[in-house]
Amino acid sequence: MVLVRIRSLRFFGTMLLLICPATFGQQSQPAAPPTPTKILAAKKIFVSNAGVDAASPVVFERTTGPNEPYSQFYFAMQRWGRYELVGTPSDADLVFQFRLTAPLSSCQTYEPQIALTIFDSNTHFVLWTVTKRVKDARLRDNWEKNLTESISDVLGDLKQLTTQTAVARN
């Protein structure tokens, strides 16, 4: 009798372990987290050039100039036309801080990337960050192509972000 109960408990325990994950897995998950309303409501932005971090100059020395990646991003933002670009942070709803970084990915290998951080110009809080890796290349032309592609990827993520729903107010 005791042996039958133990077997029954094992059977039901096993069935619960198999059924429960399937039940939880069927719950719908939101496609993406909501976008802060300030990003959606903003009309004017200031694009800030935060430059290159201390480890990056060697990695980014292949660019045509130290401000070339920032210029590419700035003019891409202008062409997009979603936001009005203003000349000072105090005139803006948001500050888009553009930065080149190259953190170590292994003991001697740097991984170049572009980081775009979006700040609320009034509170100075970070609202969102988009980071994209820049594929390395030995030839300057390939490097420029990869850099342009990564800037386009950042802009693509930004476009996707601004088409999502706002953070719900409680």
Side-chain angles (χ1 to χ4, degrees), residues 13-163:
T14 302
M15 291 306 292
L16 278 174
L17 288 174
L18 293 174
I19 293 171
C20 288
T23 304
F24 292 121
Q26 292 175 357
Q27 293 177 353
S28 64
Q29 297 293 324
T35 302
T37 54
K38 183 83 176 199
I39 293 174
L40 298 173
K43 303 284 185 226
K44 298 177 182 181
I45 65 164
F46 176 77
V47 181
S48 163
N49 185 359
V52 179
D53 69 11
S56 300
V58 172
V59 176
F60 289 101
E61 70 186 4
R62 288 169 279 184
T63 59
T64 54
N67 294 318
E68 180 60 27
Y70 167 78
S71 297
Q72 284 184 31
F73 177 75
Y74 185 89
F75 292 122
M77 288 297 298
Q78 257 186 345
R79 284 189 302 276
W80 179 27
R82 164 69 170 81
Y83 299 106
E84 177 186 345
L85 278 60
V86 296
T88 62
S90 60
D91 292 337
D93 302 313
L94 301 172
V95 173
F96 283 29
Q97 183 185 64
F98 184 85
R99 182 171 180 81
L100 300 172
T101 64
L104 278 173
S105 61
S106 67
C107 290
Q108 296 179 342
T109 306
Y110 291 94
E111 186 172 292
Q113 47 188 260
I114 295 169
L116 176 69
T117 304
I118 302 172
F119 292 91
D120 181 323
S121 61
N122 295 327
T123 64
H124 307 283
F125 278 101
V126 173
L127 299 176
W128 209 270
T129 300
V130 176
T131 304
K132 290 293 177 184
R133 181 177 174 269
V134 180
K135 293 180 213 156
D136 202 10
R138 299 213 184 277
L139 300 175
R140 180 182 224 136
D141 288 344
N142 290 340
W143 169 255
E144 290 291 333
K145 179 182 75 77
N146 293 347
L147 185 63
T148 300
E149 184 178 297
S150 294
I151 291 170
S152 294
D153 290 346
V154 167
L155 193 61
D157 281 8
L158 189 56
K159 287 177 181 180
Q160 184 177 5
L161 178 68
T162 59
T163 59

Side-chain angles (χ1 to χ4, degrees), residues 34 36-38 41 166-170:
T37 54
K38 183 83 176 199
V167 172
R169 293 182 185 202
N170 293 331

